Amino acid sequence: MYEFIQGEIAELNPACLVLQCGGIGYSIHISLNTFSALHGLTASKLFIHFIVREDAHLLYGFATVSERELFRNLLSVNGVGASTALMMLSS
């Protein structure tokens, strides 16, 4: 549904960030690789993977398209969820 979100980095942590775009702050889960790529920047463009669950709508952001594709490939493995896939990308 979402290809990317581009905006100002309002808050940056190793596990997530808040990206401000059009007056809205998007909370986006990120890997440590993406955190390293964004550290010290004030604005960014993140490639998004959107997951809708019964109890939450979650955004996962990646600095590169290839990292997002690897995340999606990991999700296709039986028993690997989004949190596990993100941890695997971070190691």
Side-chain angles (χ1 to χ4, degrees), residues 5 12 20-21 24 28 37 41 46 63 69 74 79 84 86:
I5 299 176
L12 180 62
Q20 182 177 336
C21 177
I24 299 171
I28 303 171
L41 300 178
L46 290 180
E69 290 307 313
L74 289 169
T84 304
L86 206 57

Side-chain angles (χ1 to χ4, degrees), residues 7 12 18 20 22 31-32 34-35 41 43 48-51 54-55 66 70-71 73 75 85 89:
L12 180 62
V18 175
Q20 182 177 336
S31 68
L32 287 177
T34 298
F35 173 75
L41 300 178
I48 299 297
H49 182 81
F50 182 53
I51 295 179
E54 203 174 284
D55 61 339
S66 60
L70 182 54
F71 176 80
N73 287 336
L75 288 180
L89 286 174

Side-chain angles (χ1 to χ4, degrees), residues 39-62:
H39 192 69
L41 300 178
T42 59
S44 178
K45 175 181 179 178
L46 290 180
F47 298 95
I48 299 297
H49 182 81
F50 182 53
I51 295 179
V52 177
R53 294 190 330 211
E54 203 174 284
D55 61 339
H57 292 201
L58 303 170
L59 294 172
Y60 292 87
F62 306 95

